[in-house]
Amino acid sequence: MSHDDDRGGLPRTPLEDLERLAAAPGAEARPPEQWNQLRVLAVGRMQHGGLPAGTRIRWGRLALAALPGKYPEGPSQQLVIESARVRAYLIREFGPDPTDPARDLPALRADALRNLGLPRETAARLAAEWRTLPREQMLRLRRIKNTLSALHPVLPLLEDEESVTDDLRAWLELAPRLP
């Protein structure tokens, strides 16, 4: 999907071409490895402080667009985690924007909570004994912690807007006890 030149890894393929490539009919048939390459490139460019804000936001949207191709088996907890990290970065760096799905702060919060995969009470019970749990249950709790940690960069914005729900507060209090 991308080609690097000899200038320190800057892509030769223009952003516009990569955006078209990601949205092209049949693009979903590309192998997950190519989507991951695109995601890695896009995240790196999104974080490049020397680029204009609008360009960096477009790179962030491209990173988000690459995730379903990276995880073709369908929505997974890892997809949710990676998406939350990109979205939280965009929100922290460029501010929330309810008209931009990539920077919609209440939507990020809702998506993260909706995709934790366990009721909070169950997670709290398992957290108390996580060292004795089977590996898969430990990993499930770890994925919950990773999802919640993606929200930390935007937590001050959530609190400033008084949009932190009691449920989110309780989850965030539980997070340090998760593996």
Side-chain angles (χ1 to χ4, degrees):
M1 275 191 175
S2 66
H3 304 282
D4 288 353
D5 62 20
D6 59 357
R7 296 178 293 156
L10 296 177
R12 279 189 271 177
T13 308
L15 173 58
E16 296 78 16
D17 291 350
L18 292 172
E19 289 170 327
R20 276 193 295 279
L21 183 68
E28 66 279 352
R30 294 183 182 279
E33 298 78 26
Q34 287 185 354
W35 287 107
N36 188 49
Q37 287 175 327
L38 178 60
R39 183 201 60 81
V40 168
L41 173 69
V43 166
R45 302 307 286 162
M46 168 189 78
Q47 296 173 340
H48 189 291
L51 294 173
T55 301
R56 292 174 64 196
I57 291 168
R58 287 176 55 206
W59 279 111
R61 289 184 191 131
L62 185 58
L64 292 170
L67 288 172
K70 181 180 175 185
Y71 298 102
E73 67 278 358
S76 68
Q77 193 66 33
Q78 199 57 38
L79 183 147
V80 170
I81 292 167
E82 290 186 40
S83 174
R85 286 179 180 155
V86 170
R87 292 166 67 190
Y89 180 88
L90 290 170
I91 291 167
R92 188 187 81 228
E93 289 293 310
F94 307 108
D97 181 349
T99 66
D100 180 359
R103 296 177 21 223
D104 185 336
L105 186 57
L108 170 59
R109 181 192 70 236
D111 289 347
L113 289 175
R114 183 176 51 253
N115 288 291
L116 291 175
L118 279 179
R120 189 179 67 250
E121 297 76 20
T122 302
R125 183 178 46 76
L126 293 173
E129 58 190 52
W130 72 263
R131 288 177 178 80
T132 64
L133 296 174
R135 183 179 190 278
E136 187 50 45
Q137 284 186 317
M138 281 187 214
L139 290 174
R140 189 175 197 186
L141 292 175
R142 184 62 167 171
R143 286 188 289 271
I144 290 171
K145 184 175 186 171
N146 287 340
T147 302
L148 293 169
S149 69
L151 297 177
H152 280 280
V154 294
L155 192 55
L157 296 173
L158 286 166
E159 290 173 348
D160 287 348
E161 294 182 9
E162 297 181 23
S163 60
V164 176
T165 63
D166 290 339
D167 193 37
L168 178 57
R169 282 187 208 286
W171 273 109
L172 292 171
E173 288 171 10
L174 173 61
R177 298 194 318 257
L178 298 171

